[in-house]
Amino acid sequence: MSNLSKLKFARYDYAAFSGYVAYACCAMVFSIVLTSMAQSLNFPLEQGNQGAGGALHLGRSIAMLLMMLASSVIARLCGLRRSLGTALLFIGGGIVFAAGATGYVSLFGAVLFSALGQGLFEVLVTPAARELHRNEDASRYVNITHAFWPLGIVGVVLIGGYCIGREVSWRAILAVSGCLAFLPAILFLIPPRKTGEHFPESGVSGLSFSRVRSVLTTGRFWIFLCGMFLAGGSEHCLSFWVPSFIHFEFQENGLLCGLGSAVFAVGMAAGRFLSGVFGSTARMRRIILAAAFAGMVLGFLPAFSYSLGMLYAVLFFLGVATGPLWPSIQNLCVSVIDRDPTVMLLLLPCIGIPGCGFFTYLMGVCADTVGLRASLLLLPMCHFLLLLLISADFLFARRKR
């Protein structure tokens, strides 16, 4: 508890926390309503359209990437605080538009609209968290801030799953999820009022070509880029497909399907929160190596789980192992590479988000070919490759010293 008491949070920390919860709800609500939505909009998953379901996530990832690449310019023109608030308006507005979709094309367009805000929020919130605590051990605050992503997942999959089980319209679920993003948007958009209250607008001041080139020509940085790609895949392919896996393999509906993602997300939240409270910048490498190894071992078990109780237990511990990877890789990168940390924090999610979409789409394609159960073996592969990358970076650094 002493470690926790040393952490000090202020107004914009809470805005980031609630924004992450809303962002997670809007990003993951489709995994809960996907089966019902696909049936309603005439691309039923059980008739060989699982690739089309995965394509929604892939398109989202591409749109997020485009906005991420433009995020620095937007933050410089509009300010970091206004950019985060506007991003949340886009996130929520797109999901509300998706609730009124009349077909796959209009649904796809609404997903892309929301994804523009998701990309902007994703890439700016981490630099903001670091700038808010630049005189402290910022890595701890980053991991705790990221813990609110899985907490948002828990809420949306449990409540959404229950509503689906009670035959509530998927359109109503999407509309409510979208509206959740408007409150944190207002928190960001209202200017500071208290004396001495400050938002770190200088956290993202715009990228120059020389700063980007300096980072991209550092060979070691590419190790972390590849690590982020794999971390995104290990997290999102399971989060997205678990409800459908439970539906098809265990013939369950509604709450029990959503409970799978919720258990995984609770584990992720626990992993990130613990790594933030008890970790430190100096321990980030050990956290990543231990988490990747545990994820590699546990990652084989979902494909061989034939009871819901066993599957839920595996998903929880797999979440604990997977959760710290995304923020810890970013923290480790900026601590061991002597280059502009803001540039690196902007570039790392730009490859991590495509990793989310790529592996989600790949799992859907594999499911159409070999079945969803067998396609889950992509998960331990991601952890294994990540373990190799971070181990290789450690040996490189040790040899250089």
Side-chain angles (χ1 to χ4, degrees), residues 65 80 97 103 110 117 134 155 181 214 224 229 237 239 258 291 359 371 373 375 377:
L65 175 60
L80 189 55
F97 294 153
R134 62 163 63 187
S214 175
F224 291 96
F229 187 81
C237 63
S239 298
F359 282 102
R373 183 179 290 275
S375 68
L377 294 176

Side-chain angles (χ1 to χ4, degrees), residues 90 105 284 291 381:
F90 270 72
V105 174
M284 284 297 128
M381 182 192 73

Side-chain angles (χ1 to χ4, degrees), residues 281-365:
T281 299
R283 296 173 181 170
M284 284 297 128
R285 186 188 304 278
R286 280 175 284 176
I287 289 173
I288 296 170
L289 290 174
F293 179 78
M296 178 186 68
V297 175
L298 294 170
F300 285 98
L301 299 182
F304 299 97
S305 298
Y306 292 93
S307 72
L308 274 178
M310 178 182 177
L311 179 63
Y312 290 153
V314 170
L315 288 174
F316 173 77
F317 290 106
L318 195 52
V320 173
T322 303
L325 295 176
W326 181 276
S328 297
I329 290 171
Q330 297 179 69
N331 288 325
L332 178 62
C333 180
V334 299
S335 67
V336 300
I337 298 180
D338 187 20
R339 293 293 186 271
D340 191 312
T342 300
V343 175
M344 290 188 286
L345 289 175
L346 290 175
L347 293 177
L348 285 168
C350 289
I351 194 66
I353 291 299
C356 299
F358 172 78
F359 282 102
T360 302
Y361 175 70
L362 181 61
M363 183 171 286
V365 172

Side-chain angles (χ1 to χ4, degrees), residues 150-162:
L151 289 179
I153 295 177
V154 173
V156 74
V157 297
L158 287 181
I159 297 174
Y162 174 79

Side-chain angles (χ1 to χ4, degrees), residues 80 94 114 170 184 193 196 231 234 239 266 297 320 393:
L80 189 55
S114 179
W170 61 268
R193 292 182 177 180
S234 67
S239 298
V266 168
V297 175
V320 173
D393 176 74

